[in-house]
Amino acid sequence: MRTKLRPLLLSFLLTSLAACQTTEEQLAAFHGLDKARLLGRMGQPDVKEPDERGGEIWIYQEKRVSNPVAKETETVAKNLEDGKTTTTTREKQVAVQSPVVRMYFKSFYIDARGIIYDTAHGSRYLQR
């Protein structure tokens, strides 16, 4: 029983640690690996371009759409019987009309031998 739990616990631990890595750390783990490993992990790239060293740049793109939420505040004044006024502030969340569209990029620089020698990542807004 104990030997069966050990691999499961190790797998859980490694998955938890991988979730804590930054994008730079995740991409840096590919440095020095063959492009076949990248292909097996991430599939076909969205774009392939030549680099200036006789190799290639593989670019993976991911489009994310989100509907941001805005807060709307309303202040209501109420007159009391004793002549005093009390105010109440209500806050509610309202969905913004237009979604935010953002494109994320992960680039892998592969030399002529098929070895990954550099990586980069970034993002840009397509619509705000």
Side-chain angles (χ1 to χ4, degrees):
M1 175 83 171
R2 193 170 187 204
T3 56
K4 291 180 181 180
L5 289 177
R6 186 170 278 159
L8 184 62
L9 182 60
L10 182 60
S11 175
F12 176 75
L13 180 63
L14 291 175
T15 303
S16 299
L17 289 174
C20 296
Q21 288 182 319
T22 64
T23 302
E24 288 90 5
E25 291 169 334
Q26 291 172 356
L27 294 178
F30 284 95
H31 292 202
L33 297 180
D34 186 86
K35 67 181 180 181
R37 300 274 302 269
L38 176 62
L39 192 59
R41 270 253 193 87
M42 301 206 35
Q44 286 291 331
D46 297 299
V47 178
K48 285 184 182 181
E49 294 182 1
D51 72 356
E52 297 174 358
R53 299 178 177 185
E56 302 178 284
I57 304 169
W58 287 11
I59 303 169
Y60 294 86
Q61 302 173 5
E62 180 185 352
K63 185 165 110 175
R64 295 183 192 167
V65 180
S66 62
N67 291 314
V69 176
K71 290 186 179 180
E72 188 176 274
T73 305
E74 175 186 30
T75 303
V76 178
K78 183 177 180 183
N79 293 322
L80 301 175
E81 291 178 11
D82 60 4
K84 294 182 180 178
T85 304
T86 182
T87 58
T88 305
T89 303
R90 295 184 201 137
E91 199 174 82
K92 64 180 181 178
Q93 294 184 343
V94 181
V96 176
Q97 291 284 329
S98 60
V100 173
V101 181
R102 192 167 182 174
M103 186 69 78
Y104 291 86
F105 305 92
K106 292 180 182 176
S107 302
F108 297 84
Y109 297 82
I110 303 167
D111 67 18
R113 297 175 302 139
I115 304 299
I116 300 166
Y117 67 88
D118 200 4
T119 54
H121 70 94
S123 66
R124 67 183 175 99
Y125 286 102
L126 298 178
Q127 178 183 347
R128 278 195 218 198

